[in-house]
Each structure stands twice: as structure tokens, then as C-alpha cells.
Amino acid sequence: MKTMGQLGRLGTLLFILFLCIEAAGPSAGAQATAGVSGPAPAPNGASKEAPAPAPTDVPAKAPVAPGETGPQAYSGALRRYPYLTDVTGPYATINWATVDTSLTGYVRWGEAGVESCTAHTTPAGATVILVNRVREYQWKANLNLQPNTQYCYRVYLDTTDLLGSDPSPIFWTQLPPNSDQAFSFAVFGDWGMVDANGQNPEQAAVIAQIARSGARFAVTTGDNGYPAGSQNNYGDLVQVGPNLSGVFGPAFWKVAGAALPIFPAIGNHGLDRADTTHPHLVNWPQDRTVAASGGLYARQTYCCLNGTAPGDYPSAWYAFDAGPARFYVLDAAWDDANLGTGTDYANDYAYHWQPSSAEYQWLARDLAAYPGTLKFAFLHYPFYSDDSTEPSDPYLQGSSSLEGLLARNGVRLAFNGHAHIYQRNQAVNGLVSYVTGGGGGDLVPVGGRGCSALDAYAIGWSYSSGHGSACGSAPVPTSPSQVYHYLLVTVNGTQVTVAPTDSRGRPFDVRSYNFSSPPPPTPTPGGGTCGISFRDVGAGQPFAPYISWMACRGYISGYSCGGPGDPCPGLYFHPNATVTRGQLLKMVVLAAGWPLVNP
């Protein structure tokens, strides 16, 4: 096995290959990427997001009285500042929480600049929750409004105006589907984390940037509340402590949520909760949006594929329209503590993304019902990731899985989380995927096992070394503030611009796409590319189409420039380099759709 050209004989070599591996022992196959080796993952696919211990719900501090956290203008009974969900079509839901109950909670609202902010009244219903052992009441009011209209509002408990002397929040309802008005939305993920003092300055800075960005709404890529997605982790306006109030603390979603609707995707953190009402479902209600799209937003019993135990988990998937675009918020996550004989990625595929699964079939029907529409997808597990602890999900890749389903049906951009990095990948079948996991969780490095040829631009950070890391065309970051980020996505007809923006408000890797033309075909042996090229492989060379096809599928990644005789910029294939058993085994494993595990 001398060169890549001989891979055309792969079928006849497989038997010999496995004999060689058997004879060589466990060291064969340990090299994960051509020319680059890295640490082995934890057993059974465990990672930095391994299951957290069950939350103790023990206060780090006794609940503080209003005012202990500093001056405030709102009522002391208000524990979660009002925030918006379910803002689609003519609808909006306003949510808030109080520490006192009443028979009467309600919203007063009016069209901004046209009538009083208290011109109309809509009653609210309450759900009892426990936050750090404090009994609180999560209120929800469903408003019927006009699309693409500005409204202001105030929230009440009996006769008490809970906002006190705070100004009335103002928000826009959703653009109707026939609108050609340009608009922006924010995307971020893996957030809701605080330190032992209840602080996270970088997360607060990201949310402040989102609040002033001009976005009409926000969508997350999952893991909204660390470490366990509990009501303690979500928290409130007054309680402070380790892992407490990482979402609803006064420096976090309060800053943006009263005026910016949010559509969070679900992640693996907090998937398994014993709460009577699951925190994700009660905190982020999307009642009318789910119903209108035929989606699902409820607990279900999952049993018992890949040897997993029966589990009672929320299923959360739905779609909505904004102007000329359709948005798919998908469920791609699994309980890290319930693996059975599979992995988290394998189990997610088994339950959610086999063609016979309920979510796959719902998505296939809805995608087909909107031909020609600009489409975006949001999900937790990443198609392609150069974070070695949260790597690419091979079960989502390929024509028979989610990646192929989205690409065949005109989804042009997919946004993933899970890996606490930023990464933009090359298009595969016209589908460009981003990893945006820098919303507030602890960052991780990129490229620990090498940089994939699909990785166009990626950045990460190592706290242990105090250094940044980069893949593709990205410069190496010099501080964590350059890696904490959100994406501002602007839609103007068929023109879409994605502007990643760091926690200090500095845009980077800004890309514009024109989606008026059909996506390029799948690269196949015999012709076609996906934009990945190697400087030392010319288009006229006999095996160039095969090399391109393998690179586009992520089976090979090549060598970064800067080595002996490899001037920058660009990637190199090294056609005459020796292929090791480990490298060939990696290609076979990826092509078969199996997870990579280094023994």
C-alpha cells in the first residue's frame, strides 16, 4: 500500500487489511489523521460533556432579598424578567416568574407608538417550579397580534406592575412569509454557565452584543443551562452561587430577552430530568409554532434501541417561517448516561434520524412541502467538528442520514453546537455547516487530532496552556474573548450573510452566500468538487476526482501548509506519501459510517 492511487483496490485489500491489524495489535490504527496523531477518547465515547452528577439543589447562598444584588427598578416579586418565545406569524408568548402567587397574572400591551402599552389585557397561566428550593411561579401569556408590527407591554401580578419604574419592553412580531423585507437573526449555543460566584463576564458580553445587534430573534444550537439543565442552572434574578442563575441572572438573558424572541434547540445537557415539568419545555414554550408546523414538544418514553434503558426525555422539533425563509429547530441529542451498547451519536441516530423515525419522517414531509423556499436548520450535534473531545458526528453524515435529507431539500445553512468552538465547514452537496458553541460554556481547542480538509475556518482555546488554536484559514486567537461569539445572520432576498461576532463586538470570518442558484452536485469519482482542493493535486491527474470525492466526504484531510516544501496558503495531499494501516483503517471506518475510537 504505497500511494493513494491504489485505493481503487480497496475492496480486495479489506481482508488483508484486517489480518494486518489483527497481527499488529492495538497500536495499529492509532494514527487518526494523516501525519497527525492525538490522544485517545475516553471509553464508550465519553467526553467533556459526560453525564453530570445529579444536581443536589442545595443553595450556595440563601435566597437574597431584592436589592442585595444592587439597585433595581422592578418589583421584588419578579424573579425572572419577562422574555419572549413563540413569536411566529401573528403570535407572541410573554414569560416571566414570580416568587409570590396570585389568582391573577396578566400582560397589558399595545401597539408601540400608536396606543398605550396597557391598551389591551391578556391573562396568564402559571406553572409551579422550584429554583434552589424556592417555590416560584412560571407565568405564560399567549398574545394574538398582527405580524411585522411593533408592540410594547408590561406584566402584572394582581394590581402590581412588576416592572415598576422600568420602561415598557418593545418588540417586533414575526415577518409574514410573503415579506421581502431584509432582516437579521442571531445564532449561539452552549451557554448558561457561571462560576462559583455566579459570574460569567464573557457570556454576559456575548448576550449584550446580541441585544444591540438589531436581530429580530435568536435561535440556539442547544445546551441552554450548565451543567445539568436544571431550574437551578436557569436560576432567577436574585439567587447567586455555583451553577446557579446562568440563564435568567440579571447579567444574562434579562439583557436581551424582553425584546428578542428566542427559539432554543435542545441539547444533551439536562435531557434526563426528573422534574414534573421538564425545564426546557416549561421555560421555552413554543405552543402555536409547534402546532402550526406539526412538530412535537413533549416528553416521550424512548426504549430500548442499542441496549439503552427506557428513558423519559423531551422531544423538541418544529419549524417556523420568517419572511422568505423557513427555520427548522431540530432534536439531535442523547442522554450521556444511557448509552447501552451504543454511543451518544449512535443512539441519537437510532431514535431520531433513521428514515423510519418520527422526527426524520416529519422533517422529510415538511421539507418537501416547501420547495424553493430558503431553509435553515439548527441542531446540537455537529456534522463536522475539529474539537477532539466533541468530534464530528458520522451518523448524521451522508445521503441516507440527516445531512443528505437537508441537502436534497434545499437547506443551505445548518448551525450546530456541542463543541465549544467556532467552525465553518466547506459545503457538502450545497449544505454549509457552522459550529457555534461559544455562547458561554468553557472553551476547548481545535485541531487536537489534526484539521479536517472540510474545515475552512475554526478557532478554539486551551485554558491549560493559555493559548488559542486554529484550523483552515483562521488566525490563532490570542485571547478567549476572540472565541466567545455569536453569529449574526442577515437575509436579504436570496443573499445571506453570516457575520460571526466575538464577545467584544468584533466581526470575523464574515461570509456572504447567494442561494438563487441550485446547489452543486455531490462530488463523485469521475468529476465534480465541493471547493476543497490540494495544491499538489492537479485537476488533470488520473486520481484527482477520487481524491476530491474522499476529501469532500471527510474521509481524508490532507496536510496543512508550512511543512518542508509546502508553501502557504493551502492544503497538501502528498500523493507519494506512504499510507499507514491506521490511516487506511480510518478511511474505511468513516466510509462505513462507524464512530472513530482509538483503542
Side-chain angles (χ1 to χ4, degrees):
M1 293 179 289
K2 177 65 176 174
T3 70
M4 291 301 298
Q6 295 168 296
L7 287 174
R9 303 177 184 174
L10 183 58
T12 62
L13 292 174
L14 285 177
F15 181 67
I16 297 172
L17 167 66
F18 282 101
L19 287 179
C20 292
I21 296 298
E22 182 72 16
S27 63
Q31 188 163 338
T33 306
V36 181
S37 61
N44 298 321
S47 67
K48 68 171 170 56
E49 293 193 334
T56 61
D57 288 339
V58 175
K61 291 184 179 180
V64 297
E68 286 188 8
T69 56
Q72 61 187 42
Y74 47 84
S75 167
L78 186 65
R79 286 303 176 95
R80 289 180 177 173
Y81 209 78
Y83 61 98
L84 295 157
T85 60
D86 204 22
V87 179
T88 57
Y91 303 127
T93 294
I94 298 175
N95 311 268
W96 69 98
T98 62
V99 75
D100 298 323
T101 190
S102 166
L103 295 178
T104 309
Y106 54 96
V107 175
R108 286 181 172 166
W109 55 272
E111 186 175 347
V114 176
E115 56 190 356
S116 166
C117 294
T118 57
H120 312 277
T121 302
T122 299
T127 299
V128 177
I129 61 174
L130 289 177
V131 179
N132 206 23
R133 296 183 176 178
V134 175
R135 184 181 178 91
E136 299 188 4
Y137 302 86
Q138 179 79 17
W139 295 90
K140 176 180 73 175
N142 292 334
L143 278 58
N144 297 319
L145 308 170
Q146 294 297 317
N148 197 26
T149 303
Q150 237 182 353
Y151 290 92
C152 54
Y153 67 92
R154 304 188 71 78
V155 294
Y156 291 82
L157 192 64
D158 282 340
T159 58
T160 301
D161 181 345
L162 293 170
L163 293 179
S165 60
D166 277 6
S168 300
I170 300 175
F171 71 97
W172 283 97
T173 49
Q174 195 57 268
L175 289 165
N178 60 354
S179 173
D180 59 1
Q181 178 180 331
F183 68 98
S184 297
F185 62 93
V187 189
F188 66 109
D190 298 271
W191 66 298
M193 179 180 285
V194 291
D195 62 19
N197 299 312
Q199 303 297 312
N200 188 335
E202 294 292 351
Q203 176 176 286
V206 169
I207 293 174
Q209 296 296 337
I210 293 172
R212 63 173 68 102
S213 68
R216 291 281 291 244
F217 56 90
V219 191
T220 83
T221 56
D223 280 357
N224 317 285
Y226 279 88
S230 69
Q231 292 291 10
N232 285 5
N233 301 152
Y234 281 102
D236 60 26
L237 289 166
V238 298
Q239 299 189 69
V240 178
N243 301 323
L244 185 58
S245 301
V247 172
F248 295 120
F252 305 131
W253 200 238
K254 171 188 179 294
V255 176
L260 189 72
I262 191 169
F263 301 90
I266 198 165
N268 58 304
H269 275 269
L271 198 64
D272 183 20
R273 299 292 316 165
D275 308 62
T276 303
T277 53
H278 194 281
H280 183 91
L281 302 180
V282 72
N283 292 347
W284 311 116
Q286 314 287 352
D287 301 350
R288 276 83 63 89
T289 302
V290 172
S293 62
L296 187 61
Y297 213 64
R299 281 186 185 269
Q300 288 188 302
T301 299
Y302 285 76
C303 182
C304 292
L305 303 178
N306 293 343
T308 56
D312 184 21
Y313 306 130
S315 293
W317 61 79
Y318 56 91
F320 65 93
D321 298 311
R326 190 153 177 85
F327 294 73
Y328 291 89
V329 181
L330 305 177
D331 188 337
W334 186 251
D335 176 11
D336 296 323
N338 187 9
L339 297 182
T341 60
T343 64
D344 48 358
Y345 288 169
N347 294 333
D348 170 55
Y349 173 80
Y351 284 110
H352 294 134
W353 300 116
Q354 292 191 84
S356 60
S357 70
E359 185 175 7
Y360 185 103
Q361 292 189 346
W362 164 81
L363 180 59
R365 289 192 301 268
D366 198 279
L367 288 167
Y370 291 86
T373 300
L374 180 62
K375 300 167 186 173
F376 304 99
F378 308 83
L379 57 146
H380 189 55
Y381 286 159
F383 290 111
Y384 303 100
S385 163
D386 277 340
D387 167 9
S388 59
T389 57
E390 305 293 9
S392 304
D393 184 343
Y395 293 93
L396 295 182
Q397 300 170 6
S399 60
S400 63
S401 191
L402 177 59
E403 181 183 45
L405 177 64
L406 296 175
R408 285 193 302 274
N409 287 277
V411 178
R412 300 305 184 84
L413 292 174
F415 301 95
N416 310 144
H418 197 49
H420 296 190
I421 61 173
Y422 167 81
Q423 182 168 329
R424 172 176 58 85
N425 294 298
Q426 302 280 5
V428 177
N429 297 338
L431 176 65
V432 177
S433 66
Y434 284 80
V435 181
T436 173
D442 286 339
L443 302 174
V444 296
V446 296
R449 297 181 186 171
C451 297
S452 164
L454 279 176
D455 186 344
Y457 189 114
I459 52 176
W461 187 264
S462 168
Y463 296 102
S464 59
S465 70
H467 292 94
S469 50
C471 287
S473 62
V476 175
T478 57
S479 74
S481 67
Q482 294 173 303
V483 184
Y484 284 107
H485 70 280
Y486 76 99
L487 311 182
L488 183 65
V489 185
T490 300
V491 179
N492 189 358
T494 59
Q495 187 82 13
V496 178
T497 300
V498 181
T501 306
D502 71 19
S503 63
R504 300 301 182 264
R506 300 167 293 205
F508 62 95
D509 192 35
V510 178
R511 306 286 291 186
S512 290
Y513 306 91
N514 191 327
F515 291 136
S516 58
S517 57
T522 304
T524 57
T529 68
C530 64
I532 298 175
S533 62
F534 299 101
R535 290 190 60 176
D536 51 356
V537 177
Q541 292 182 343
F543 290 100
Y546 297 88
I547 293 168
S548 175
W549 182 83
M550 294 181 72
C552 288
R553 303 306 300 162
Y555 304 156
I556 59 175
S557 56
Y559 297 83
S560 299
C561 65
D566 294 342
C568 290
L571 288 170
Y572 290 84
F573 180 70
H574 293 174
N576 295 315
T578 298
V579 179
T580 69
R581 290 189 299 270
Q583 290 164 349
L584 183 55
L585 180 60
K586 177 199 172 190
M587 298 175 221
V588 173
V589 168
L590 289 176
W594 303 328
L596 281 175
V597 177
N598 291 342

